[in-house]
Amino acid sequence: MPSDAPAWSLHSRLKEDTIDIGDLPLCRVLVIKDAHYPWLLLVPRREGVVEIVDLAEVEQAQLMTEISRVARALKEVTRCDKLNIAALGNLVPQLHVHVIARRSSDVAWPRPVWGVMPPLAHDAEEVQNFISALRRKIWLG
Amino acid sequence: MPSDAPAWSLHSRLKEDTIDIGDLPLCRVLVIKDAHYPWLLLVPRREGVVEIVDLAEVEQAQLMTEISRVARALKEVTRCDKLNIAALGNLVPQLHVHVIARRSSDVAWPRPVWGVMPPLAHDAEEVQNFISALRRKIWLG
């Protein structure tokens, strides 16, 4: 990173609501603290970026590469019925991309997940197993 | 297209709910018939594709290029407060990417738009002006 690039930090709201599982070349990868759905976030480590179209073209391409890598890993780990991938950001302006594994048996199906249920705390061991499996697929797979 | 590639056609539900505004190299570009929000869809013309990760890597990159082009045009035409970009597909399996211009004054804000309000019919002249402005930006801009 050039020394004059503004320092990036994760938005406080995203920090509260997630578990950090590691960095890809562009994005931090996070798990949302909600056991209702296997739910990841990708956050490009670029200060001040709100929209996908604010990223440089080469970063947009890298974002797609990382979305695809993470989505494929999530699908393999969860054997879900459908992926939901979205950049909304109406509440938290820092650009973040949701990658969610949906099952036709989950509490919100077929609706989008946002706002349907208050978050459900994870079982500590289950979420650690989920994160270990994801890390193997994303960084080693 | 190789002659053995299966023929693509737009899903009947997407056809009913949209106005066709033209094709980019990968995707058909559609306007959703709902005057509550300036709301576009990008549908890759690839038969049988359900998930972004089902596309070949080069097509994923092209999808991002087209999302960005369409999102930028939509933002310029509407001067919206936020873009919402999403591939959900829990109801209609054919891969389609929503590109929605959100305003902090719209009926669903700050919630995602899906399921909040029944669609509102467009004024015929307004939607034609909107489509003309979009076409200029997307294909000529």
Side-chain angles (χ1 to χ4, degrees):
Chain A
M1 188 166 71
S3 60
D4 59 350
W8 176 85
S9 65
L10 185 64
H11 190 286
S12 58
R13 177 66 188 279
L14 299 181
K15 195 163 184 173
E16 266 169 45
D17 295 347
T18 64
I19 304 163
D20 180 350
I21 71 164
D23 283 356
L24 288 167
L26 178 63
C27 295
R28 181 148 301 166
V29 186
L30 305 157
V31 172
I32 295 256
K33 293 177 186 165
D34 185 349
H36 283 120
Y37 328 92
W39 183 348
L40 307 182
L41 284 186
L42 286 174
V43 185
R45 296 188 308 282
R46 291 293 178 269
E47 189 55 26
V49 168
V50 173
E51 302 285 4
I52 289 174
V53 299
D54 295 339
L55 291 170
E57 257 181 64
V58 64
E59 291 172 329
Q60 292 176 18
Q62 181 62 26
L63 177 60
M64 180 57 95
T65 298
E66 296 185 8
I67 288 171
S68 182
R69 187 169 188 90
V70 165
R72 203 179 287 273
L74 182 64
K75 190 178 175 191
E76 288 177 16
V77 167
T78 64
R79 301 171 184 275
C80 60
D81 298 311
K82 188 69 193 68
L83 293 165
N84 286 180
I85 297 175
L88 304 178
N90 303 340
L91 294 170
V92 174
Q94 183 173 68
L95 177 60
H96 55 287
V97 179
H98 302 266
V99 181
I100 312 163
R102 302 299 308 274
R103 291 196 181 85
S104 54
S105 58
D106 72 38
V107 288
W109 184 268
R111 290 167 293 171
V113 299
W114 300 278
V116 173
M117 297 286 283
L120 178 69
H122 282 117
D123 172 86
E125 192 181 329
E126 267 178 37
V127 76
Q128 279 313 318
N129 290 341
F130 172 57
I131 289 170
S132 300
L134 274 174
R135 280 192 174 132
R136 275 192 300 273
K137 291 276 183 195
I138 296 173
W139 281 275
L140 309 173
Chain B
M1 188 166 73
S3 60
D4 59 349
W8 176 85
S9 64
L10 186 64
H11 189 285
S12 58
R13 177 67 188 278
L14 299 182
K15 195 164 184 174
E16 266 168 45
D17 295 347
T18 65
I19 304 163
D20 180 351
I21 71 165
D23 283 357
L24 287 167
L26 177 63
C27 295
R28 181 148 301 167
V29 186
L30 304 158
V31 172
I32 295 257
K33 292 177 186 165
D34 185 350
H36 282 120
Y37 328 92
W39 184 348
L40 307 182
L41 284 185
L42 286 174
V43 185
R45 297 189 308 281
R46 292 292 178 270
E47 190 55 26
V49 169
V50 172
E51 302 284 3
I52 289 175
V53 299
D54 295 339
L55 291 170
E57 258 181 64
V58 64
E59 291 172 330
Q60 291 177 16
Q62 180 63 26
L63 176 61
M64 180 57 94
T65 299
E66 296 184 9
I67 287 171
S68 183
R69 186 169 189 90
V70 165
R72 204 179 286 274
L74 183 63
K75 191 177 176 192
E76 288 177 17
V77 167
T78 63
R79 300 170 185 277
C80 60
D81 298 312
K82 189 69 193 68
L83 293 166
N84 286 181
I85 297 175
L88 306 178
N90 303 340
L91 294 170
V92 174
Q94 183 174 67
L95 177 60
H96 56 286
V97 179
H98 300 266
V99 181
I100 312 163
R102 302 299 308 274
R103 292 196 180 85
S104 54
S105 58
D106 73 38
V107 289
W109 184 268
R111 289 168 293 171
V113 300
W114 299 278
V116 173
M117 298 284 284
L120 178 69
H122 282 116
D123 172 87
E125 193 181 330
E126 268 177 35
V127 75
Q128 279 313 317
N129 290 340
F130 172 58
I131 289 169
S132 300
L134 274 174
R135 281 192 173 133
R136 275 192 301 272
K137 292 274 184 197
I138 296 173
W139 281 276
L140 309 174

